[in-house]
């Protein structure tokens, strides 16, 4: 588990992380969402040892994070701006990683290379952006590091590969108990990958929750009655958002779906539809509850 | 800190592997070029005088190879996108720094080791005369020099993430202090006017400062030779720079990777320091117009610097900074000059002062010299005045020690060696040191700058082994370059019939105590040796002419024992290129013949590559006939009929039983 407390980092006079607190549980996929410049990459870089923190504490499995090789063996970081050595092929790069990481599984890496149909002897420089990302992901997964950080890595990967990687991530968590931390400025990119989400805003974690909890506790209904009705009729419910267009209302509710469904049916609605909420919508409504305008954050 | 724990071999191998082409190129380039140069010079049996002779290419690469190694080992660490990559790897900062530092040093060792092995290999397989001590000196001096430049570059990289700033910082760390020092010392206290009053004489001495940077020592001292002081300084500074570099690296903010200094004041200080050479040039200007031109160029540079380093200060701030920085640098120069001026004025009231100038009444001084005043011990003033008069004509000014022969007003002749004791500001004269060589075993025998072959060397050593004195000249480490002019300026006069060889001395050369030591031996003391040398002269001259006939000049011909009838002078001179096949043929045919010095003989003086050779032959008439055919270009007037003289000499040759066919 990574426990971050009061983390602060400034670039010159600009405070990028301001007293950030967050907890990343072991064996999960943690999504770090935030606008460009929110501090996602900075947070990842500090945890992985690229940057030094100004203040605060980072505990990894109960121990304070230090510039120590043993602790760093637990991390692998795939930055947004990828770097490969000039003229290096996948084969060379895998060898490099093998020499760097004690638990690097080169057979696993070659298997992935084969599955993703990458040429191990071709220079990485000549790869497309997507292929470079795939290469970086392969290297990272093969390290078997306890904590894998992917900085906007899955953005723009095609759905087939994405699905494959998603499965690979899941099996890594299952087999090795790894923890994956993925950042993105696009919620849709994280929706189908992450277990937990943290929203980074102005250098701090504004909101943090499990996606399943969010999805099961928040739902959207479309409802209509013979009679005229208003938001007042739903005072027994936790209404996050209420919009009425003529005789049909669209309501975002937070709470136990089973209980709410029973109660709503008791009200004899003409129409009652439960609609799925996208993660983005969940976030928008949650932010509104917290008093933030979600659109201004992105 | 446990260095072994911080060293990661796997990382080092990977790091080298990623730049293998560049590293391989620069590891092998210098040794290969050094070997090629040595092979190129290996066939003329010239020995190598100093570190520069065999380390010239090494010096050239001193500012390239360590910088390339530094870029290969560290460069990518400071780039924006690669900083993430390497920073997140399971390597601590101290491991990265220590592994790369040690790796670079190992590469430097390999490069120098290859050059060392190459030097010895060339010496073993070819005729290059390399003193092993000299080669080892080059190895250590250059290795430490390379490590020094490497640590400086590493430090510069740790200080700034911006490649252009790294170059600026490297140059500043390497050259700022010695440049300023050399500039100030070469410009302080220079007498502007020469005074004829002999009561006032300045003595110019060569500043004994040993700079850290070997290249700066070449500029300051005019030579490149082993310097233990420089090595110690470089070692100490390398350790300090390593520690500083490590400290900066471990504290480095990689969020600024690829960028120039974050703080404007640091940017301004570094930019201000780069003004030093401009201010130095500005202070040299003699007119307002020139000064304004330099000022304008300097200001343009000041603005361009910001563009290059991606800084955008406001114009008025930039102008203000320019004025302040310029004023501070000028003030720095003035303060430094005043420090040296105080030293020069020391004891000025107590001394009789003399100007030491050369024959053209020009103060003997140069960039590596400066003026100071000296006093003489009681009763020495008269001798000193005479001595200095002599020195003034000789230009033989050599690092606070002047030597030569002197004739005083009362006709007394003695050899002198004058030392200047800088601390006591006293000068004194000492008899020249004469000594017998302890052992001839380790010494190589040379005539002029050419080492004789092993067989000849053995014979010569046998002939002079029991002779009482040879003169020992220690050419101090920093003076060894003088050896070149020293051996080339040997007297060429023929003293008597046995001394017809062009060189008055043979040299026994040895490399000891990091310097070339030359034992000179007067050939004409030993008849057997003279004959032996002459035979060798004829053989070697024939070899040289055979190889380079188009580049050999016949400078002079002198005739001996031709004046039996009392009609002629004893010399005929001729100058010009030896484009005459007949002379060449004569030399080739007569090279192995013995010479009888009781009969008429001619000495032909050749010149090749600024070195003189001679050839002695009894075939005087043949020589004269050839000269006659060429029209006696530049001959010394002989008031006789030339044909008659040739016939007369032919007759002498016939009557003395010597015949030859044309």
């Amino acid at each position: 588990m990574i426990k971050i407390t009061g983390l602060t980092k400034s670039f010159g006079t600009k405070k990028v992380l301001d007293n950030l607190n967050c907890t990343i549980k072991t064996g999960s996929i943690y999504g770090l969402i935030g606008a460009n410049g929110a501090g996602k990459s900075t947070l990842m870089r500090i945890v992985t040892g690229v940057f030094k923190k100004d203040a605060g504490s980072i505990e990894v499995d109960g121990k304070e994070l230090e510039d120590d090789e043993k602790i760093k063996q637990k991390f692998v970081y795939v930055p947004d701006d990828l770097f490969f050595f000039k003229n290096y092929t996948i084969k060379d790069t895998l060898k490099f990683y093998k020499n760097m990481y004690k638990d690097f599984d080169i057979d696993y890496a070659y298997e992935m290379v084969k599955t993703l149909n990458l040429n191990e002897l071709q220079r990485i420089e000549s790869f497309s952006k997507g292929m470079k990302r795939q290469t970086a992901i392969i290297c990272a997964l093969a390290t078997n590091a306890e904590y894998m950080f992917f900085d906007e890595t899955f953005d723009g990967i095609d759905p087939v590969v994405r699905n494959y990687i998603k499965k690979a991530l899941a099996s890594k968590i299952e087999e090795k108990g790894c923890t994956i931390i993925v950042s993105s400025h696009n919620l849709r990119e994280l929706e189908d990958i992450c277990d937990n989400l943290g929203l980074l805003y102005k250098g701090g974690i504004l909101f943090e929750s499990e996606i399943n909890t969010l999805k099961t506790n928040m739902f959207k209904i479309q409802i209509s009655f013979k009679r005229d009705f208003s938001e007042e009729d739903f005072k027994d419910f936790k209404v996050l958002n209420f919009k009425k267009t003529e005789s049909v209302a669209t309501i975002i509710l937070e709470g136990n779906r089973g209980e709410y469904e029973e109660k709503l049916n008791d009200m004899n609605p003409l129409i009652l539809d439960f609609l799925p909420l996208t993660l983005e919508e969940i976030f928008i409504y949650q932010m509104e509850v917290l008093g933030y305008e979600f659109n201004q954050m992105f | 800190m446990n260095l072994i724990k911080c060293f990661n071999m796997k990382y080092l191998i990977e790091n080298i592997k990623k730049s293998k082409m560049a590293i391989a190129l620069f590891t092998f380039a210098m040794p290969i070029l050094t070997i090629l140069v040595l092979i190129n010079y290996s066939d003329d049996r010239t020995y190598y005088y100093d570190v520069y002779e065999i380390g010239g290419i090494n010096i050239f690469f001193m500012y390239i190879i360590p910088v390339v190694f530094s870029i290969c080992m560290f460069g990518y660490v400071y780039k924006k996108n690669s900083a993430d990559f390497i920073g997140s790897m399971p390597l601590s900062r101290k491991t990265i720094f220590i592994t790369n530092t040690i790796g670079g040093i190992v590469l430097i060792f390999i490069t120098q080791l290859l050059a060392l092995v190459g030097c010895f290999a060339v010496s073993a397989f070819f005729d290059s005369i390399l003193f092993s001590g000299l080669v080892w000196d080059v190895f250590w001096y250059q290795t430490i020099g390379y490590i020094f430049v490497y640590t400086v570059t590493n430090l510069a990289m740790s200080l700034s993430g911006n490649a252009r700033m790294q170059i600026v910082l490297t140059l500043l760390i390497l050259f700022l202090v010695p440049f300023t020092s050399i500039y100030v010392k070469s410009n302080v206290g220079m007498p502007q006017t020469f005074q004829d009053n002999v009561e006032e004489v300045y003595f110019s001495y060569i500043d004994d400062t040993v700079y850290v940077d070997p290249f700066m020592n070449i500029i300051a001292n005019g030579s490149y030779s082993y310097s233990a002081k420089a090595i110690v300084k470089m070692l100490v500074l390398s350790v300090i720079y390593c520690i500083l570099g490590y400290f900066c690296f471990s504290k480095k903010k990689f969020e600024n990777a690829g960028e120039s200094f974050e703080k404007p004041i640091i940017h301004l200080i570094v930019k201000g320091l780069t003004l030093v050479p401009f201010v130095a040039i500005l202070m040299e200007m003699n007119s307002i117009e020139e000064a304004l031109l330099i000022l304008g160029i300097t200001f343009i540079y000041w603005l361009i610097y910001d563009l290059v380093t991606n800084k955008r200060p406001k114009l008025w701030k930039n102008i203000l900074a320019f004025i302040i920085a310029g004023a501070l640098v000028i003030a720095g120069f003035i303060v430094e000059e005043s420090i040296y001026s105080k030293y020069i004025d020391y004891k000025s009231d107590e001394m009789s002062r003399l100007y030491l100038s050369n024959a053209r009444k020009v103060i003997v001084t140069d960039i590596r010299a400066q003026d100071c005043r000296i006093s003489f011990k009681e009763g020495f003033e008269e001798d000193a005045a005479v001595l200095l008069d002599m020195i003034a004509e000789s230009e033989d000014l050599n690092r606070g020690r002047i030597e030569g022969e002197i004739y005083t007003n009362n006709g007394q002749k003695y050899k002198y060696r004058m030392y200047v004791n800088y601390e006591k500001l006293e000068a004194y004269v000492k008899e020249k040191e004469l000594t017998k060589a302890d052992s001839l075993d380790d010494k190589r025998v040379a005539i002029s700058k050419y080492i004789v072959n092993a067989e000849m060397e053995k014979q010569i050593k046998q002939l002079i082994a029991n002779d009482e004195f040879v003169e020992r000249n220690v050419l101090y480490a920093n003076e060894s370059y003088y050896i070149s002019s020293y051996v080339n300026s040997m007297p060429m006069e023929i003293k008597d019939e046995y001394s017809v060889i062009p060189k008055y001395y043979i040299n026994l050369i040895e490399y000891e105590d990091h310097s070339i030591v030359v034992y000179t031996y007067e050939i004409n003391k030993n008849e057997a040796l003279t004959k032996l040398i002459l035979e060798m002269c004829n053989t070697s001259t024939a070899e040289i002419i055979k190889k380079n006939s188009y580049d050999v000049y016949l400078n002079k011909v002198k005739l001996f024992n031709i004046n039996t009838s009392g009609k002629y002078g004893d010399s005929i001179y001729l100058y010009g290129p030896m484009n005459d096949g007949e002379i060449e043929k004569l030399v080739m045919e007569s090279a192995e013949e013995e010479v009888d010095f009781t009969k008429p003989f001619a000495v032909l003086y050749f010149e090749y590559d600024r070195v003189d050779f001679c050839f002695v032959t009894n075939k005087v008439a043949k020589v004269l006939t050839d000269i006659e055919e060429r029209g006696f270009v530049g001959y010394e007037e002989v008031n006789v009929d030339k044909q008659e003289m040739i016939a007369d000499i032919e007759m002498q040759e016939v009557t003395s039983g010597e015949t030859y066919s044309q």
Side-chain angles (χ1 to χ4, degrees), chain A residues 30-47:
Chain A
Y30 190 95
L32 204 55
I33 184 84
N36 291 328
K40 305 183 294 294
S41 303
T42 304
L43 175 60
M44 285 190 166
R45 284 173 175 138
I46 291 172
V47 177

Side-chain angles (χ1 to χ4, degrees), chain A residues 9 45 52 67 69 72 99, chain B residues 14 84 87 95 250 255:
Chain A
K9 176 73 184 175
R45 284 173 175 138
K52 283 184 178 289
D67 183 26
E69 283 167 30
K72 286 182 96 178
N99 278 326
Chain B
E14 287 296 334
D84 283 343
T95 301
S250 59
E255 54 266 34

Side-chain angles (χ1 to χ4, degrees), chain B residues 13-69:
Chain B
I13 291 167
E14 287 296 334
N15 210 6
I16 290 172
K17 204 172 93 182
K18 70 162 179 46
S19 311
K20 55 182 179 291
M21 291 308 288
I23 288 173
L25 177 70
F26 283 92
T27 302
F28 289 103
M30 187 276 289
I32 289 171
L33 286 171
T34 303
I35 290 165
L36 289 176
V37 168
L38 293 182
I39 292 171
N40 189 36
Y41 288 106
S42 63
D43 60 349
D44 63 0
R45 299 197 65 77
T46 307
Y47 65 89
Y48 291 92
Y49 306 125
D50 60 17
V51 179
Y52 186 81
E53 280 270 318
I54 57 169
I57 288 161
N58 220 327
I59 300 162
F60 173 74
F61 278 109
M62 177 176 278
Y63 303 98
I64 297 171
I65 290 175
V67 174
V68 170
F69 285 173

Side-chain angles (χ1 to χ4, degrees), chain B residues 39-40 192 247 250 351 492 514 521 540 626:
Chain B
I39 292 171
N40 189 36
Q192 298 298 313
F247 181 75
S250 59
M351 298 173 200
M492 286 181 58
H514 312 292
Y521 184 87
S540 64
D626 290 339

Side-chain angles (χ1 to χ4, degrees), chain B residues 15 115 133 137 172 234 254 297 307 310 324 409 435 500 557 641:
Chain B
N15 210 6
D137 277 356
L172 282 176
M234 285 192 293
F254 278 94
I297 292 169
L307 293 174
N310 296 324
I324 293 169
N409 291 338
T435 180
V500 292
V557 176
D641 180 86

Side-chain angles (χ1 to χ4, degrees), chain B residues 83-212:
Chain B
D84 283 343
F85 173 78
I86 198 68
S88 63
M89 283 289 152
L91 299 162
S92 65
R93 289 193 178 191
K94 61 184 170 194
T95 301
I96 295 173
F97 188 85
I98 290 167
T99 303
N100 288 346
T101 303
I102 292 173
I105 291 170
V106 169
L107 288 174
I108 286 167
F109 259 108
I110 292 170
T111 309
Q112 292 297 335
L113 214 55
L114 287 172
L116 178 88
V117 171
C119 287
F120 283 128
V122 171
S123 199
F125 287 109
F126 299 92
D127 281 340
S128 296
I129 311 301
L130 290 169
F131 295 99
S132 61
L134 183 60
V135 177
W136 279 106
D137 277 356
V138 172
F139 172 75
W140 287 114
Y141 197 18
Q142 286 300 111
T143 304
I144 305 297
Y146 273 49
I147 290 170
F148 171 68
V149 177
Y150 181 69
T151 56
V152 167
T153 317
N154 292 348
L155 175 63
M157 283 188 167
S158 297
L159 288 169
S160 174
N162 182 276
R164 281 157 287 198
M165 281 310 302
Q166 288 164 358
I167 294 167
V168 170
L169 285 170
T170 304
L171 293 174
L172 282 176
I173 299 170
L174 279 176
F175 298 122
L176 185 68
V177 171
F179 171 83
T180 315
S181 169
I182 289 171
Y183 173 80
V184 171
K185 285 178 182 176
S186 62
N187 285 281
V188 172
M190 290 279 284
Q192 298 298 313
T193 54
F194 176 78
Q195 296 180 34
D196 286 323
N197 183 354
V198 290
E199 295 296 317
E200 301 227 332
V201 171
Y202 273 93
F203 179 76
S204 295
Y205 76 92
I206 297 166
D207 183 49
D208 200 26
T209 306
V210 175
Y211 293 100
V212 172

